[in-house]
Amino acid sequence: TTASWDFMGFKENKTKRVPNLESDIIVGVIDSGIWPESASFDDNGFGPPPKKWKGECDGGQNFTCNNKIIGARYYTRNGGIIGTPQSARDHIGHGTHTSSTAAGNSVKDASFYGLGLGTARGGVPAARIAAYKVCDPGGCFSDRLLSAFDDAIADGVDVITISAGADLAARFEQDPIAIGAFHAMAKGILTVNSAGNNGPSTSTVSSVAPWILSVSASNTNRAFFTKVVLGNEKIVGRSVNSYDLKGGKYDLVYGKSASSRCDEGSARICSSGCLDKKLVKGKIVLCDTPLGSHEAEWAGAVGTIVKNDRSDVSNVFSSPVAALSEDQYETVVSYVTSTEDPKVSILKSDTSMNETAPVVASFSSRGPNTIIPDILKPDVTAPGIEILAAYSLDASPSGDAAHDNRRAEYVVLSGTSMSCPHVAGAAAYLKTFHPDWSPSMIKSSIMTTAWPMNATEDAESVFAFGSGHLKPTAAADPGLVYESTKADHIALLCALNFTTTSLRLISGDNSTCTKEQADTLPRNLNYPSMAAAVSSQTEFNLTFVRTVTNVGMANSTYKANVVEGAGSSKIDVKVEPDALSMKSMYEKKSFTVTVSGKALKPLEPMSATLVWSDGTHTVRSPIVIYAKG
Amino acid sequence: SHQDEDKQVYIVYMGAVPSNAGYMPSSQHINILREVTGESSIENRLVRSYRRSFNGFAATLSDSERERVANMEGVVSVFPSRKLQLQ
């Protein structure tokens, strides 16, 4: 966060804030707990909890709340790892990281051993945090997670952030996050959820319910690099290497040449038990996979150079490690095999300007949505690569407790877990300007004001980033919003074959599932993006029906423009009417978007963007049409 | 026992908390569990009760008990409590 908020133009001291309202905002964090002694959660300057707070501090052993962390509960009593203290204290670090990204204090001079130095802060530094611990080193079980939702909603939080999920999407009635988030939505609470880390394959997004704001991960303009010095040549690798070898040059040995016990295939990846201590001690070892660094460290190596198939992410290791792309790695292999006395140095990491940001992370899960193909997921993108934020002093920075004895107050992590709390922080920020806005209004504001992100030459990349990249300041003044109520979502469930009996139980009211509702197409949910899965065999001509609510200026006229996207020459998009004249605040106007085109091939989605503009506000909605299968 | 090995934690989702004043979610959860298990003491079966913001519970059930709960009035869905990942 020492770079991510600035990257989005959300500058400290240059961003308009409403401090008295921000102090009343409560962010509920469902995660691995929190480290209450972190400077990010110091309560200096905070008054007592807001009057609306109905929760409690039930943090267990050795856990005290304060006026920043106003609530804590833990659900790891039953079935938790034996020996893990019973409390809301974070023993993993993850929950502390996400909490500080969403709502941590501004903390100057935060860094990871000098790396990433800057002011760490949350989206709403003056807001309060309620921590709900559902994850311990043994995992995050669904039954605990539902308890956390049950409590967080009743406790009176304003926004829920949950950076956890399953590997695959599940039907809504069997998806604990969808269930919890539905009841949160019904009580006016937006749930922000990480999209998942199973990219870049398509159909991997696990957070798919339309009442959730699902977040993919991108990089920022700051990247961590680690230089490797070979003779007189320098190679730039990735990793967050806090170890300073003082420029010392060490003998370089390839794993495959440092084993007398294993076959070549196992030795070159430095499999466990393969390396001979006498051959690697005091040297730097070359291993074909990142996991090999553990074996090298165990065998007494000074450091490891590894081949990494994720060239867009730098990870923290428990020893000096440089992760190289395949090309770079082969250069080092060539050097070690062709040089009589190969020497190498791994330097401490540094940061550099990443000119290409924002780009979606390779690991970030992609659509299409496997449960409702006509709802585009993920919804929006936010920084999730190399985020420096607060951490637990009970956890090792590399997450490798067996090898890493370091402890750090601020640590660099990557994942959609890290992007999710950025959006939650932004949602909380919006609530300070619009305390009465519904979850769908907040969600729409974030989506329609997002920075455009372009599809790459890979056509399927339109499934990666949703509406684009989070832009918090713009989201506070969206102009128009697409609203959807609890009743709209119940009608959607009706269209998804839920019975009246089930819908009445879920809604707690007299909802019915009429034939008209059952025949309604999911793509006509008043969603801020538009997607449709069509047959690959035939031409298509389909419509999206939408209604916008004026939240900009009372008297304004919005004109529609359609911007071409990937393959959009094959689709024809018409908007009717193409101008919307608003006369008052909260006035609603409906329109239809008709999209037609020739038969699409599978794996070749077509995209465009509908842009409504009144000259002051720009309200963007992606349109994605793709062939089933 | 072998029977115990076959049991696992299931979530019984029952939707919103009914608004009628006399409704006691915890009592209903216990009654449902007693009915499907045939056991009067269900302390070791009931893992969690959800009653503040929505209605449901988590319990250790066998597969046949799961089926019986799923067919009971007032139950929306029954599904296993799975392990999710931090991301």
Side-chain angles (χ1 to χ4, degrees):
Chain A
T1 59
T2 51
S4 56
W5 293 112
D6 284 354
F7 171 65
M8 293 184 280
F10 199 56
K11 309 262 187 186
E12 196 178 30
N13 303 325
K14 290 183 182 171
T15 297
K16 189 178 158 192
R17 289 190 181 272
V18 194
N20 58 324
L21 291 182
E22 190 168 313
S23 175
D24 278 350
I25 293 288
I26 306 162
V27 178
V29 184
I30 300 177
D31 209 299
S32 63
I34 196 164
W35 190 258
E37 290 81 14
S38 169
S40 289
F41 313 123
D42 187 296
D43 71 347
N44 189 21
F46 283 83
K51 288 191 178 119
K52 66 185 178 186
W53 175 241
K54 298 191 285 285
E56 57 186 64
C57 186
D58 182 18
Q61 295 170 2
N62 191 25
F63 190 101
T64 309
C65 292
N66 60 21
N67 284 329
K68 175 72 180 179
I69 304 172
I70 60 171
R73 298 179 189 271
Y74 65 105
Y75 306 92
T76 47
R77 292 179 180 90
N78 302 325
I81 292 284
I82 293 166
T84 305
Q86 295 295 296
S87 80
R89 191 169 282 279
D90 181 9
H91 303 288
I92 299 175
H94 189 278
T96 303
H97 204 276
T98 56
S99 298
S100 67
T101 300
N105 297 330
S106 288
V107 178
K108 286 181 180 163
D109 299 326
S111 73
F112 176 57
Y113 293 98
L115 301 175
L117 180 69
T119 299
R121 59 193 168 101
V124 276
R128 320 302 179 107
I129 293 168
Y132 300 88
K133 179 176 172 178
V134 298
C135 306
D136 65 12
C140 324
F141 288 89
S142 314
D143 60 291
R144 300 176 187 170
L145 195 147
L146 276 168
S147 281
F149 268 107
D150 193 31
D151 283 331
I153 296 165
D155 286 348
V157 305
D158 293 285
V159 175
I160 292 172
T161 180
I162 175 163
S163 288
D167 280 336
L168 293 170
R171 288 160 45 185
F172 298 142
E173 74 275 22
Q174 301 193 353
D175 177 346
I177 298 177
I179 290 170
F182 181 89
H183 293 282
M185 177 268 296
K187 292 276 167 57
I189 304 162
L190 177 64
T191 299
V192 186
N193 184 207
S194 45
N197 294 343
N198 290 317
S201 299
T202 54
S203 304
T204 49
V205 59
S206 56
S207 175
V208 294
W211 48 85
I212 293 174
L213 184 45
S214 313
V215 189
S216 55
S218 68
N219 61 359
T220 70
N221 57 352
R222 181 185 71 185
F224 289 87
F225 289 97
T226 300
K227 286 180 182 159
V228 171
V229 185
L230 301 171
N232 294 323
E233 188 182 1
K234 279 185 183 168
I235 291 178
V236 178
R238 303 298 306 265
S239 69
V240 183
N241 177 35
S242 68
Y243 298 97
D244 189 355
L245 299 179
K246 311 279 185 199
K249 294 217 165 183
Y250 296 85
D251 290 339
L252 177 64
V253 59
Y254 196 0
K256 77 172 186 179
S257 312
S259 177
S260 56
R261 289 187 286 274
C262 297
D263 59 45
E264 184 185 323
S266 298
R268 63 191 302 155
I269 61 172
C270 307
S271 285
S272 180
C274 280
L275 297 180
D276 289 358
K277 286 187 177 180
K278 62 181 184 302
L279 295 177
V280 303
K281 191 169 185 187
K283 297 178 182 176
I284 289 175
V285 186
L286 205 51
C287 301
D288 285 5
T289 73
L291 286 174
S293 64
H294 296 317
E295 169 67 4
E297 187 185 353
W298 175 84
V302 169
T304 320
I305 296 171
V306 301
K307 183 163 69 176
N308 190 5
D309 54 1
R310 296 263 192 212
S311 60
D312 59 343
V313 187
S314 285
N315 291 311
V316 176
F317 292 86
S318 57
S319 58
V321 172
L324 305 182
S325 66
E326 187 160 358
D327 287 356
Q328 293 168 327
Y329 188 78
E330 290 308 319
T331 301
V332 183
V333 170
S334 174
Y335 172 75
V336 76
T337 52
S338 64
T339 307
E340 193 172 329
D341 184 22
K343 300 267 187 197
V344 70
S345 181
I346 299 173
L347 305 187
K348 187 177 177 180
S349 289
D350 202 351
T351 57
S352 72
M353 179 64 86
N354 193 349
E355 305 287 350
T356 58
V359 174
V360 176
S362 60
F363 60 74
S364 191
S365 291
R366 268 69 168 167
N369 183 334
T370 53
I371 303 297
I372 313 184
D374 287 2
I375 298 289
L376 188 67
K377 288 282 176 173
D379 292 305
V380 75
T381 306
I385 290 184
E386 297 157 17
I387 304 301
L388 184 116
Y391 207 64
S392 163
L393 292 184
D394 227 11
S396 56
S398 59
D400 179 7
H403 299 86
D404 193 352
N405 292 323
R406 292 173 300 172
R407 295 292 180 263
E409 292 181 337
Y410 290 85
V411 163
V412 178
L413 293 179
S414 298
T416 52
S417 275
M418 283 65 244
S419 59
C420 174
H422 278 95
V423 175
Y429 173 73
L430 262 62
K431 288 284 280 187
T432 67
F433 290 91
H434 313 290
D436 300 328
W437 279 14
S438 67
S440 69
M441 294 169 85
I442 300 285
K443 177 175 172 173
S444 175
S445 303
I446 287 171
M447 289 172 66
T448 62
T449 58
W451 270 339
M453 290 179 78
N454 297 324
T456 60
E457 63 279 357
D458 171 13
E460 290 177 305
S461 64
V462 296
F463 294 122
F465 49 77
S467 295
H469 197 282
L470 174 66
K471 194 176 180 188
T473 47
D477 183 20
L480 302 174
V481 290
Y482 295 82
E483 290 185 79
S484 49
T485 62
K486 174 183 150 189
D488 294 329
H489 289 108
I490 288 289
L492 173 78
L493 294 177
C494 167
L496 296 174
N497 293 326
F498 280 69
T499 63
T500 293
T501 304
S502 289
L503 293 181
R504 286 185 174 176
L505 286 170
I506 293 168
S507 66
D509 57 29
N510 287 328
S511 299
T512 52
C513 186
T514 63
K515 185 175 184 312
E516 185 188 1
Q517 285 174 327
D519 291 342
T520 303
L521 296 169
R523 68 167 174 264
N524 285 327
L525 177 71
N526 200 33
Y527 211 68
S529 61
M530 300 172 208
V534 298
S535 166
S536 60
Q537 307 298 321
T538 56
E539 295 180 356
F540 62 90
N541 186 318
L542 52 89
T543 59
F544 297 92
V545 180
R546 291 290 185 272
T547 300
V548 285
T549 305
N550 181 26
V551 293
M553 291 173 286
N555 272 301
S556 54
T557 299
Y558 285 83
K559 291 185 176 168
N561 184 29
V562 176
V563 179
E564 289 188 1
S568 59
S569 58
K570 293 183 185 171
I571 58 172
D572 183 36
V573 182
K574 288 191 169 57
V575 184
E576 180 58 39
D578 62 0
L580 301 173
S581 180
M582 299 291 189
K583 300 282 186 256
S584 61
M585 290 294 285
Y586 299 102
E587 185 178 354
K588 293 179 189 292
K589 287 276 161 101
S590 296
F591 62 91
T592 59
V593 177
T594 305
V595 187
S596 57
K598 293 181 177 169
L600 299 177
K601 291 179 187 168
L603 312 181
E604 285 188 12
M606 300 291 138
S607 69
T609 305
L610 167 63
V611 184
W612 287 106
S613 179
D614 64 348
T616 302
H617 304 94
T618 303
V619 188
R620 300 171 63 257
S621 290
I623 302 168
V624 177
I625 314 294
Y626 63 101
K628 290 173 190 166
Chain B
S1 70
H2 179 70
Q3 194 178 10
D4 285 340
E5 286 169 15
D6 287 344
K7 292 190 180 87
Q8 62 171 310
V9 176
Y10 285 95
I11 291 160
V12 180
Y13 172 51
M14 302 169 68
V17 181
S19 53
N20 45 319
Y23 183 80
M24 307 278 284
S26 297
S27 299
Q28 196 196 10
H29 302 161
I30 289 167
N31 289 339
I32 290 173
L33 261 182
R34 282 182 176 149
E35 189 177 333
V36 296
T37 63
E39 298 168 7
S40 57
S41 174
I42 48 81
E43 285 80 19
N44 292 332
R45 297 293 205 107
L46 184 64
V47 177
R48 299 177 194 283
S49 259
Y50 312 117
R51 54 182 180 268
R52 297 182 72 197
S53 305
F54 50 87
N55 193 10
F57 61 94
T60 308
L61 301 171
S62 66
D63 195 48
S64 61
E65 289 163 350
R66 178 197 63 80
E67 274 184 38
R68 286 163 64 191
V69 176
N71 291 322
M72 290 179 81
E73 191 179 335
V75 172
V76 177
S77 58
V78 183
F79 56 99
S81 177
R82 292 214 168 86
K83 189 156 79 172
L84 307 185
Q85 286 83 41
L86 293 168
Q87 293 172 329

